[in-house]
Each structure stands twice: as C-alpha cells, then as structure tokens.
C-alpha cells in the first residue's frame, strides 16, 4: 500500500473537509501466511482494524518504509494494507469505499487506497472526485524534523478550495501549502517554493498535518540530483529525506 508525500491540497470545499491525495512509491507491506503465527509489527491502530475481521486465524506481519508523524500517510497505509490483505486471505471482497469507512472510524484518513489521485473527505472517508495528473513526477521529499499529531491538525484548516478541476491545479497546490502556514508553520516555505520553481520544479506541496514538503520535478529533468543538493545547501534547516515518484493509489499484490 503506497504512502504519501503530504497532500496536494487540503481544506474545505462546499463546507466539507477535503484533501487531494499524493501517493508515492514508498509502501506499507502486509504478509499473511499459515507458515508463521502471531502478529508482528502491528500498532494500536492496525490492531483496531484487524479486530473487524473476526475469523482471521493466520500469521500476519506488517513492515513499512513510511516514518511516523511526518505526514506520509503511514497509519492510513497500514490500516488499508491490513484490511485488504486480511480480507483477501478470508476470500472476502472488500472495496476501497469500505476500507475508507473502517479507517475513518479509527482516525482521519488519507485516501491512498483509492485508485489514482482523488479528492476525498478525510473524516468520513468518502471519495468525491478523481483528479488527473499529467505525469508520475519525481518527488524530492524534505523534512523539517520532529513529529506531528495527525488527529490534532487534520481537523483544522482555513483554506477554501475554490473549485475541483478534472486536472491537478499546481497554483492551488502552492496556495494550499501557504494557507496552512497559519496552522502548522514551516520556516521559509514561500522562499523555498519560489526558489524551487525558479530552478525548474513543477510545484511544491506540504504535509498539512506533518513535517515534510515535496518538490516535484519532471522525470526527464537530468539535473534533479544537483538541484536537490543545491536546495539542501541553500535551506540547510530542512533535511533531504528521499527521492521517489508519484504513483497511483490503490493496492499492490504478490502471491507467494
């Protein structure tokens, strides 16, 4: 199950809390087997999800590439991966909509389990609209450090989303990130956005309830690594975390 680099946009649309997902190629992985027993790697929230499946009797192991408290949808990815894999092991068909309902009952959720990029309500888990993105951009993720309580910040926003277009609006991505400064301040964010775009970035987003920002580049940009290094030197109070790619939301399976 992919995690995320924050959200492309988060705020309110027609009075409803809404975010636009930003799934990336970093994953939470669940392994289910009858060759080992017990429960490994599941935290309190994932165990709460597991309790929805009363007939589950196999061994289950959860592993993740997603750090906690950074705004990378680590909990949402864990919850969805547990729900889908356990349902499959029980030969049950479970939809993304049902997983969203179960996950939202545990905490505000990120819709990375829906296919593609979607606008969704993080409180109810309801998907509202599919959003087209021109390409699977390269993403440089930088971290301001520390951790953030998702529940505390996910329910707060002052950004009014003016419209939900069929295609991702990069200007709205940046406006959403800047509007969130009043809620979760990120040092020099306007300067980082301006500089990144001046050297060829497509857009910059922020985790609205986390510590990371994402700087997006075209995949055919041959100078991405040099640009990442230059940004890291210029803004040395943020730490380069990883380079990855935007991907589709949804589930990835491997039967062994």
């Amino acid at each position: 199950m992919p995690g995320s680099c924050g959200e492309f946009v988060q705020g309110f649309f027609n009075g409803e809390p809404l975010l636009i997902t930003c799934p990336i190629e970093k994953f939470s992985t669940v392994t289910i087997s009858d060759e080992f027993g017990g429960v490994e790697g599941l935290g309190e929230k994932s165990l709460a999800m597991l309790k929805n499946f009363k007939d589950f009797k196999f061994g289950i192991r959860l592993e993740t590439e997603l750090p906690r408290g950074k705004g990378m949808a680590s909990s949402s990815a864990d919850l969805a991966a547990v729900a889908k894999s356990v349902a499959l092991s029980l030969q049950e068909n479970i939809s993304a909509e049902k997983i969203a309902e179960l996950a939202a009952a545990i905490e505000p959720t990120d819709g990375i389990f829906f296919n593609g990029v979607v606008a969704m309500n993080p409180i109810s888990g309801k998907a509202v609209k599919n959003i087209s993105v021109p390409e699977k951009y390269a993403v440089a993720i930088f971290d301001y450090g520390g951790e953030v309580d998702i529940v505390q910040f996910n329910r707060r926003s002052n950004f009014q989303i003016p419209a939900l277009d069929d295609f991702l609006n990069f200007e709205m991505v940046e406006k959403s990130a800047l509007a969130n400064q009043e809620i979760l301040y990120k040092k020099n964010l306007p300067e980082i956005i301006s500089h990144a775009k001046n050297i060829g970035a497509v857009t910059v987003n922020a985790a609205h309830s986390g510590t990371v920002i994402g700087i997006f580049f075209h995949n055919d940009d041959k100078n991405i690594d040099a640009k990442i290094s230059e940004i890291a030197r210029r803004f040395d109070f943020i730490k380069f975390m990883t380079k990855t790619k935007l991907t589709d939301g949804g589930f990835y399976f491997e039967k062994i």
Side-chain angles (χ1 to χ4, degrees), residues 81-229:
V82 168
K84 188 68 171 183
S85 58
V86 170
L88 283 174
S89 74
L90 297 173
Q91 298 184 326
E92 295 178 3
N93 183 24
I94 187 169
S95 66
E97 288 77 12
K98 182 60 179 178
I99 291 173
E101 177 188 329
L102 294 174
I106 297 171
E107 69 168 13
T109 189
D110 188 302
I112 34 81
F113 36 79
F114 289 106
N115 291 329
V117 170
V118 300
M120 56 88 64
N121 182 322
I123 307 302
S124 70
K126 179 183 177 184
V128 176
K129 185 180 179 67
N130 282 88
I131 307 292
S132 294
V133 180
E135 64 177 272
K136 301 294 190 296
Y137 297 105
V139 190
I141 302 179
F142 286 83
D143 181 29
Y144 277 83
E147 295 184 9
V148 168
D149 181 346
I150 182 177
V151 176
Q152 178 185 359
F153 284 94
N154 213 307
R155 297 176 186 272
R156 300 166 58 192
S157 178
N158 59 1
F159 182 60
Q160 300 298 320
I161 299 170
L164 279 182
D165 300 325
D166 291 334
F167 291 89
L168 186 65
N169 182 325
F170 295 128
E171 182 180 358
M172 189 163 65
V173 170
E174 293 147 25
K175 285 183 177 179
S176 179
L178 293 172
N180 202 59
Q181 287 287 81
E182 295 181 13
I183 298 168
L184 184 56
Y185 179 73
K186 291 179 170 64
K187 181 180 176 181
N188 285 24
L189 183 58
E191 291 81 3
I192 293 171
I193 293 173
S194 177
H195 181 70
K197 294 187 72 177
N198 283 340
I199 63 172
V202 177
T203 194
V204 178
N205 80 328
H208 293 69
S209 54
T211 64
V212 299
I213 61 172
I215 302 178
F216 293 74
F217 296 94
H218 290 292
N219 288 304
D220 60 3
D221 187 332
K222 301 197 180 343
N223 298 308
I224 293 176
D225 290 342
K227 291 175 180 179
I228 290 172
S229 297

